[in-house]
Amino acid sequence: MINIEIDGLKIEAQDGAMLIEAADEVGISIPRFCYHKKLSVAANCRMCLVDVEKAAKPLPACATPVTEGMKVFTQSQKAISAQKGVMEFLLINHPLDCPICDQGGECDLQDLAVGYGGGETRYSENKRVVKNKNIGSLIATDMTRCIHCTRCVRFGEEIAGVRELGAIGRGEHMEIGTYVASTISSELSGNMIDLCPVGALTSKPFRYSARNWEMQRHPSIAGHDCVGSNIDLDVRDNNIMRVVPRENEEINETWISDRDRFSYEGLNSKDRLTAPMIKQSGEWQRVSWDTALAFALNGVKELVGRHGAEHLGTLVSPSATLEEMYLLQKLVRGLGSSNIDHRVRQLDFSDQNRAPAFPYLGQSIESLGQSDAVLLVGANITKDQPILGHRVRQAALFGAKVMCVNSVDYKVNMPLAEKLITDVAGMEAALAGILKALLNMNKIAAPSGIDQLLHSVSISATHEKMAANLSKASHGSVLLGLSAASHPAYSTLYALAECIAELSGAKLGSLSLGANSAGAWLSGAVPHRTADSASSNQTSAGLNAIQMFTAPRKGYFLFGIEPEFDSVDPVVTTQSLKDAEFVVAFSSYASTVLSDVANVFLPISPYTETSGTFVNVEGRWQSFKGVVSPQEDTRPAWKILRVLGNLFELKGFDYMSSIEVRDELKKCLGDIKLSNKRAWLCPELSGNISEQIVEIPIYGADAITRRAVSLSITPDATGHTIVMN
Amino acid sequence: MANEICFRTLNHKEPWALSTYQSLGGYEQWKRILKKKTPPQEIINELKESALRGRGGAGFPTGLKWSFMPRNVEGQKYIVCNSDEGEPGTFKDRDILRYNPHALIEGMAIAGYTIGANVGYNYIRGEFREPYTRFENALKEARAAGLLGKNILGSGVDFELHSQLGAGAYICGEETALLESLEGKKGQPRFKPPFPASYGLYGKPTTINNTETLASVPMILEKGGKWFHELGKPNNGGTKLFSVSGHVQKPGNYEVGMGTPFSELLKLAGGVREGRRLKAVIPGGSSTPILPADVMMDVTMDYDALSKAGSMLGAGSVIVMDDSTCMVKALARIAHFYFEESCGQCTPCREGTGWLSRVIHRIEHGEGKSTDLDMLVDVSKRIEGRTICALGDAAAMPVVSFIKHFRDEFQYHIDHKRCMVSA
Ligand SMILES: Cc1cc2nc3c(=O)[nH]c(=O)nc-3n(C[C@H](O)[C@H](O)[C@H](O)COP(=O)(O)O)c2cc1C
Ligand code: SF4
Ligand code: FES
């Protein structure tokens, strides 16, 4: 600790801290533009100049390290005149037309100009005009407003890992622009909108739609990947106007992915389902809730009467809330069916009985960022879980050896120490090779059965290097991604990865689909476990997401599911649904396929219109409130399920709030062990696999995102960046 | 007592050739050091005694600078020579490269040995094609003679030296922008601290010196620090290359002792043109404050005297102006230069240099306003001392000094919308 004095206040500052950090710590505000705590120090705006005792010139607080006994004055004549001087320079070439600027009202330059700007300008020369750039569908540019703080440039280099924006030209001719491609492709690009202190980079979808003082800000949790980024929803007139990050150091720091930021566009999509509907003689008609629920009740009752409850199949979106999943499984199990699943992309369920309580990252997100070796297995972490990708990338920049074994050569934004790209069938052999190299290297006793399993496996130099990197690591991480989970031999890949992690002392982790796969497991939205026994299996398991369609059911509940997307085999799935006698669709959207297969539509609120909970990949429960009222006749699904439970005359459906639902589940679960440890069982190599894995489009993971128009035309969505092997 | 150090070879046939240099005792110091394994501290002491100060403009004592390099630290270190020479009025380093490249090579090798760097780079101004070729040829000669490379003359000491041509940016003469440029990045100054001695080229400890500074080193070691010191004045050791340009009869480089009266230097350069009177002089390159003739005629050419007189020795680039010069036009030209050459990263310089340049241009063209002069001075003060590198100061100082000494001429332009000189 270092003792310094700022404006007469004696404070202790961290060794090595910059003055601005020390001042921020105690709430002394020093004006700034270029400084950002998550970016490197550029010290170029000069707005933070302060008066330091014994220094001849004013010093930039963002780049001046604290030293023992330092005395700083942020309000002295010298400091103020330096700051005012800089403000004048910033304003001479800046348009003074805040009323027509989209940043107006939330502009750092505007705010600080109130405190440090002059009443009138002394500048009578022509002002600079800079041509705007079209950098894609997400970010609007107004480059004349740029103050050259280079935050966006540093963000690209340091956080996004793609140098897309750069400062071109020198002096007054310096311009921020793209130099290689003309479109920004980073999956984190929207953060540049937040970083830009002025109106040079603004949100294209949001542009000119609201002023910040017209909106109310509500905290929420992003519902599009297993990270659970903390967000704020800005609301005006009961509409989500935009989404911005809410800082949480442990999860998303100050960032969010573009998917989390721009998906809200899908909330008001044209095919949004806003009233209950029933289909009679092939005709859809809008009905009251009573009618719709009675229709559903009768339909299901008749079906169960005719065929038995085992002829009911239930598919739930992995992005539904914990409460929804819990009530839904309670409902269908109450009716006598255990055919419920959320694993809509999985092919291999063979070791589901041995699975941990939920697909767990194996450590906290913060801890993942401290890895010194990471093996990614079937994982497109950069695009599928951008915030986790960012953590791994930070680790890589600090020297971690990041390696991947993938069946697609994904574009990554970090240095890869080793890379193994194989076809789908080769995934097993690749992991087996690493495992064998590991055994050879460390001369450790192999777990039972492994020697024989690996007998005919051959080792390459890459296998050896990967094994060595993991062995040497003091904090290794082995992560199975979405494409591993969709692999025809997932259970084998899992066991091999598990063994590699175990033998190298690394942490094993899973990355899971949607916002709430963890919640789905915990709440019993799986055919073989219930909330009362979340880590032990039921004696008679129901049908999983594949079996429900290979052995078609007579009736289905679809919850937040779009069969043409949320399925590994859309043709089979859709056909089974068409052939079924009765299909109840809980949905926020009425897509063509769904309209085709369903008999009744129950319009449910998306996560912005209902309270609920998502459990993220770390096992962190994050509850949120609905921030806008449900559109028209839409209702929060937990309420619909409560009513249905009662209509079916099932016990225990008298909840007053979603919190009660959550707390009941929590009580049921007791202490959940955060662990991926399980007893060892040697897998089998399945040999020749002919299936291909259908990659999940980055912006196709859930119904809301699929409808976000601006995302759908980014390079990531149009697929120009992915090369199939 | 002229042309003894950096221009030692000048009056000989093929002054740039290795043989010429060696015939005058060249590379003897390098060889002696290699053979005797002279302790670095001894070399540094000699330099300190010589009172050699950096010839790139800032005048920082060279011995002291070398002593800042972390000693007992393992790992790569670099010696870098700054031959970017972009300041208007300066053309001395060019002639060292052309006429005495081996003095620089020997100086750099000795510097590398002293600070523990086995690799050196000479960053040469982009427009210096001919000097670049000369230097490259000299490098070839030195390598062929076994004076550079691995295990030099069996001493076990390695030293590799490379040259790199710039691409036409004045800012790359600023030492940290130079390092960025050498690394292949956009030439923009770094914020200091950290200084190059701890975080330099590729993040490694690095010493950067000017061409003339480094080329002076072999002679200092040959004849002793005391000898060198006494060529000049106390605290202002040695001789200095003065690039005299402007309204003189014989513009050119003159290597004379520090502390030579300006009047003598002017005489060496043939005096002002026929029938003209001296009006003003910029003594150290376009960034240093201008001084009126009467002040200059009383001043000696050294760091201390010029600083006392209100200007700076800078790189010793003497721009002489006679009474035909319009001060407004001269300043407009200078202001335009800094406006064009600002790297643009920091606010006061990026925005302020354009502002200054435009207002001065306006005044020159008869569109000045009565408030302009005070405003120019005020704007300059808002740039000075508040930027990342000294280019901001370089842009501000001429404005302040021109208006200070020649305010009446500026006022005349504003009031009469034309020039006082041609009137
Ligand atoms: C804008 C600017 C341009 C400069 N250009 C040069 C140059 O062309 N040559 C040079 O030697 N030093 C130049 N300098 C000074 C260098 O930054 C540095 O001080 C010098 O190279 C150190 O060498 P010395 O100690 O031997 O003088 C410049 C400084 C600034 C701020
Ligand atoms: S003072 Fe000028 S040249 Fe120097 S860093 Fe700042 S903008 Fe660049
Ligand atoms: S915030 Fe310190 S210079 Fe910009």
Side-chain angles (χ1 to χ4, degrees), chain A residues 364-382:
Chain A
S364 69
I365 291 173
E366 265 191 316
S367 155
L368 175 64
Q370 279 139 25
S371 306
D372 54 4
V374 180
L375 176 64
L376 300 166
V377 180
N380 186 8
I381 198 168
T382 303

Side-chain angles (χ1 to χ4, degrees), chain A residues 29 96 101 126 289 437 585 600 612 616:
Chain A
S29 73
L96 300 178
C101 172
N126 288 335
W289 268 104
V600 50
N616 83 350

Side-chain angles (χ1 to χ4, degrees), chain B residues 171 189 342-346 349-350 387-389 391-392:
Chain B
I171 193 58
S342 161
C343 87
Q345 66 173 324
C346 60
C349 172
R350 178 185 65 245
T387 50
I388 290 181
C389 83
L391 191 141

Side-chain angles (χ1 to χ4, degrees), chain A residues 433-434 437-438 440-441 459-469:
Chain A
I434 300 171
L438 204 54
N440 285 357
M441 186 176 307
I459 308 178
S460 72
T462 309
H463 294 144
E464 277 170 348
K465 279 187 250 163
M466 287 182 162
N469 286 339

Side-chain angles (χ1 to χ4, degrees), chain B residues 53-60 62 65 82-87 93 170-176 192 208-211 213-214 389-391 394:
Chain B
R53 292 169 61 171
R55 304 300 197 221
F60 194 84
T62 307
K65 188 185 260 190
N82 189 341
S83 297
D84 194 52
E85 195 165 56
E87 172 100 339
D93 299 336
Y170 166 67
I171 193 58
C172 291
E174 196 283 336
E175 56 190 15
T176 54
K192 292 178 274 188
I208 307 173
N209 278 118
N210 171 257
T211 316
T213 313
L214 288 163
C389 83
L391 191 141

